[in-house]
Amino acid sequence: MSERLEGLGVSAGVAVGTAVLLHAQTVPVVPKPVPPERVADEIQRFHDARAQARKEIESLRERVRDQLGEQYAGILDAQLLIVDDRRLVSLTAQKIRIGRVSAGWALSEVSGEFLRAFDQVEDEYIRERGGELRDVQQRLLRILGGNQTPKTEMRDGPKVIVAHNLGPTDAIALAQQNVVGLATDVGGRTSHMAILAQALSLPAVIGLHDASSRVQDGDPLILDGDRGHLVLDPEPAEVDSARERIDAHLARETAMVAASGLPAITRDGVEVVLRANIEFPEEMRMAQRFGAQGIGLYRSEFLFLSRAPELPTEEEHYQTYLSIGQACDPHPAIIRSLDLGGEKYFHEVLAQSEPNPVLGLRAIRLCLKRPDIFLPQLRGFLRAAAECRLQLMIPLVTRAEEITAVRQLLKEQAEILRAEGKAANPDVPLGIMIEVPAAALAADIFGQEADFFSIGTNDLIQYALAVDRGNESVSRLYEPLHPAVIRMIRMVVESADRNGIPVSLCGEMAADPRYAGLLVGLGLRELSIQPRSLGPVRQRIRELDGDHLRRIAADAGKCGSASEVESLLAHELAADAPEPVDEDPAMDRNAG
Ligand code: PEP
Ligand code: MG
């Protein structure tokens, strides 16, 4: 009998595969004596295993680079260094020789001692680095045990990663071949784990409570990112129907790519600009495939996560923004300045924790306090902006002074760069995220300082409703259609209009085709969403009527609860006739 675990679907799609428990991969080793005449062979076997491990890590490095970029691939360099670490290698060889034990046993003894030392270090960051050593240890033990292919790379079919939680370096495991889905015990809809899964186009269900202790390695699973559940031990009929849905998904995605050149325009000619949110420069390819008109949000903090605790250099900032800006041409790319802190792995960067980090020293507050972090970013940005079309966006703004401070820094740093003989362009649009109720309520004031707004509903909902966006136990209360949220969005759009500046919405809410109509009705003409949602949102907008949407949005403003708004949308928009995606009514109209 199959069993269904309910969670939150945070990245669309269905996956059928066998389970790989991410943090429970220990290869058993038993002590085996080696006769004196075989000692030299055993040491050679250890070196051969190292060579094989090196080959595997290098090929994994290549795949990670293709999918996530050089910054993430660089994490694997640490593992390559460990494979060749002189102390590890010589102590293991010595143990084989003197103790006359098998290579696997010698290695597990020596590396075990190193790992115990890591565990005792107080610094959380260094402690976590022990994970790299553990990965290498397990890889070598697996090879020495005669199993040639790593669990997640086994050729016997697709794998669904199951974990209690994911850290930033786990992105590497997700980028492995054959990984088709992700299931975790914890996390909320807009947690960074969810964003990562979307960036990698992996169906994902999170908030599954105890899935990682219920599932065993190798268990057959169906993961349904659309409906938010994980099926353990599925019946053959369930597998057949899941496979049919996978095929349908693929067909839909192909149709979306085919329609990616069509404008997102309502039947009565209201045009919406659709841009993409990305975390890795490599996602540009996908953004373009699905017809993004530029990048509406590049989350630059992801640059840090792959380097922590090292800070990215000015040159790395420059190269990254230049590559994004050039790939976007002729559309603009909006680079968001570092949004570190809150739930975004603060300790990874600063090895520091706060009692209430979501209300603490995060995002622009942190940047203005830490020139060593912020100035290299601004300098890299200014240099790249001299060569391509970039805009800068500040996260978590709560005070007008933060905007003027950044503008001043841009001016000063541009002058310094020029004095150093480097090209710099400070005359870029400087916008702000509206993601705190204070900014929404004071948008008319902030609009006098900022060149554009982008409404970050992921945080705006969290702060307005006092609901932690990453906590599944309150995820039911995380309501994008809450009257307070709708009112704030309207207020921000009106303030932008009065100030004559553009306003976009880049929270996950914009990626949901059910909400796209309401947002257009509220006056939004720019949305920025994860690449894979561009197609469905474009298609939905093309089915709707702008005038009707304005009336629905006005009615939504009078509703007393999120569920009332939901029923209103379901009732009003159900009747809008879908339109085939391969026709362009705007062109017909122009022709007429
Ligand atoms: C938001 O808060 O809506 C947003 C887009 O930013 P992030 O999800 O990176 O916090
Ligand atoms: Mg945010």
Side-chain angles (χ1 to χ4, degrees):
M1 263 287 277
S2 67
E3 187 185 356
R4 176 176 297 194
L5 306 185
E6 298 293 337
L8 268 180
V10 291
S11 184
V14 181
V16 175
T18 50
V20 173
L21 283 167
L22 196 57
H23 297 293
Q25 304 186 24
T26 46
V27 178
V29 264
V30 283
K32 254 198 261 157
V34 173
E37 69 279 10
R38 299 226 11 105
V39 161
D41 288 349
E42 193 61 13
I43 292 177
Q44 187 53 46
R45 217 165 67 78
F46 171 56
H47 293 312
D48 292 347
R50 286 175 46 233
Q52 163 77 14
R54 208 179 296 117
K55 255 191 5 218
E56 285 179 12
I57 298 171
E58 276 161 1
S59 97
L60 176 57
R61 191 189 190 290
E62 235 167 78
R63 270 205 305 282
V64 172
R65 195 195 51 219
D66 287 350
Q67 292 197 35
L68 302 176
E70 184 56 35
Q71 282 95 6
Y72 262 90
I75 295 175
L76 286 160
D77 292 341
Q79 296 202 9
L80 286 170
L81 288 177
I82 294 170
V83 171
D84 290 329
D85 182 81
R86 284 201 5 227
R87 257 169 68 76
L88 181 78
V89 173
S90 65
L91 288 175
T92 305
Q94 200 179 24
K95 199 157 207 105
I96 301 172
R97 193 177 318 112
I98 296 170
R100 292 194 195 141
V101 287
S102 61
W105 183 254
L107 173 74
S108 71
E109 288 279 288
V110 172
S111 53
E113 231 163 84
F114 286 179
L115 284 170
R116 275 190 291 284
F118 265 113
D119 283 345
Q120 278 157 17
V121 175
E122 252 190 36
D123 185 314
E124 188 177 348
Y125 173 76
I126 296 181
R127 228 178 21 247
E128 283 177 7
R129 293 313 89 181
E132 316 281 4
L133 171 59
R134 194 168 285 112
D135 273 4
V136 173
Q137 178 208 49
Q138 291 299 308
R139 189 178 288 277
L140 284 167
L141 290 177
R142 173 183 49 74
I143 296 168
L144 286 165
N147 185 349
Q148 288 306 304
T149 28
K151 259 182 191 172
T152 44
E153 295 168 37
M154 282 189 283
R155 275 180 257 290
D156 62 351
K159 303 286 170 218
V160 174
I161 298 263
V162 182
H164 177 68
N165 200 355
L166 287 186
T169 53
D170 292 324
I172 287 172
L174 299 186
Q176 306 221 38
Q177 229 173 24
N178 287 9
V179 170
V180 292
L182 167 69
T184 64
D185 295 346
V186 300
R189 192 173 294 287
T190 59
S191 65
H192 282 75
M193 202 153 29
I195 289 169
L196 189 62
Q198 289 159 7
L200 292 165
S201 297
L202 274 186
V205 180
I206 65 179
L208 284 159
H209 308 287
D210 56 354
S212 72
S213 46
R214 306 268 296 272
V215 172
Q216 307 255 319
D217 260 327
D219 280 357
L221 298 173
I222 295 175
L223 178 104
D224 191 330
D226 300 332
R227 295 170 186 162
H229 57 238
L230 182 71
V231 182
L232 317 187
D233 209 3
E235 304 287 341
E238 289 174 300
V239 173
D240 288 347
S241 113
R243 287 200 203 287
E244 273 169 29
R245 288 184 51 216
I246 293 171
D247 290 345
H249 249 283
L250 273 176
R252 238 188 344 267
E253 200 154 295
T254 311
M256 293 298 168
V257 172
S260 64
L262 299 180
I265 189 165
T266 62
R267 293 193 311 218
D268 55 346
V270 175
E271 186 154 6
V272 181
V273 174
L274 294 185
R275 303 196 207 282
N277 293 351
I278 59 167
E279 288 72 42
F280 307 102
E282 283 59 29
E283 282 178 273
M284 279 302 306
R285 279 196 299 262
M286 212 201 313
Q288 280 161 336
R289 220 171 130 233
F290 289 108
Q293 296 159 280
I295 295 301
L297 167 64
Y298 167 61
R299 290 181 162 101
S300 68
E301 57 276 10
F302 273 73
L303 252 181
F304 270 70
L305 303 183
S306 56
R307 294 279 265 110
E310 304 283 311
L311 302 175
T313 60
E314 173 188 321
E315 190 61 24
E316 280 168 318
H317 284 293
Y318 164 70
Q319 293 291 351
T320 306
Y321 307 152
L322 185 64
S323 74
I324 294 173
Q326 286 178 335
C328 256
D329 186 56
H331 301 295
I334 298 178
I335 307 295
R336 181 173 71 184
S337 64
L338 292 159
D339 190 8
L340 287 168
E343 81 285 22
K344 295 179 186 173
Y345 315 122
F346 196 39
H347 67 275
E348 295 284 334
V349 177
L350 297 173
Q352 188 175 319
S353 53
E354 292 187 302
N356 199 347
V358 173
L359 302 181
L361 186 64
R362 57 173 292 199
I364 188 59
R365 302 169 181 178
L366 172 71
C367 283
L368 290 175
K369 268 221 149 156
R370 291 284 307 263
D372 59 320
I373 293 180
F374 198 28
L375 295 189
Q377 171 164 52
L378 290 184
R379 287 168 58 93
F381 173 84
L382 285 161
R383 285 172 53 203
E387 295 178 55
C388 57
R389 200 172 156 203
L390 298 182
Q391 307 186 0
L392 187 66
M393 177 156 78
I394 320 172
L396 210 86
V397 169
T398 53
R399 311 168 69 224
E401 291 91 325
E402 288 160 344
I403 313 169
T404 42
V406 174
R407 212 182 276 286
Q408 182 62 24
L409 284 173
L410 281 173
K411 226 173 101 199
E412 285 168 13
Q413 291 303 314
E415 273 163 28
I416 295 172
L417 281 165
R418 284 177 188 148
E420 291 169 10
K422 294 176 184 149
N425 175 18
D427 299 318
V428 292
L430 176 64
I432 61 170
M433 299 273 301
I434 303 282
E435 51 185 349
V436 180
L441 295 169
D444 55 334
I445 304 169
F446 292 1
Q448 295 165 23
E449 296 295 335
D451 297 324
F452 64 89
F453 289 154
S454 189
I455 307 174
T457 43
N458 299 345
D459 275 313
L460 186 61
I461 297 167
Q462 151 166 281
Y463 290 118
L465 307 184
V467 174
D468 179 349
R469 63 191 263 188
N471 180 347
E472 79 277 8
S473 62
V474 285
S475 63
R476 206 177 45 80
L477 302 175
Y478 189 90
E479 294 179 316
L481 300 181
H482 191 288
V485 177
I486 294 178
R487 284 181 192 190
M488 277 195 262
I489 294 174
R490 185 185 283 289
M491 192 178 272
V492 176
V493 172
E494 286 172 358
S495 297
D497 287 349
R498 271 200 298 278
N499 277 290
I501 59 173
V503 53
S504 159
L505 193 145
C506 64
E508 289 304 309
M509 188 179 177
D512 191 327
R514 290 173 308 161
Y515 304 153
L518 174 67
L519 296 177
V520 175
L522 286 167
L524 281 151
R525 296 294 175 266
E526 286 181 31
L527 301 175
S528 190
I529 54 194
Q530 41 148 321
R532 272 210 310 178
S533 297
L534 287 164
V537 169
R538 174 181 295 109
Q539 188 180 3
R540 188 65 184 131
I541 289 173
R542 291 171 63 82
E543 291 161 3
L544 302 172
D545 180 273
D547 221 31
H548 185 200
L549 294 176
R550 259 189 300 280
R551 278 182 273 119
I552 295 173
D555 288 346
K558 295 176 209 143
C559 289
S561 67
S563 54
E564 255 183 64
V565 180
E566 193 142 11
S567 320
L568 172 80
L569 294 181
H571 178 254
E572 287 290 330
L573 296 179
D576 282 275
E579 168 206 302
V581 286
D582 53 349
E583 281 174 23
D584 184 2
M587 282 165 55
D588 294 348
R589 224 183 353 269
N590 291 342

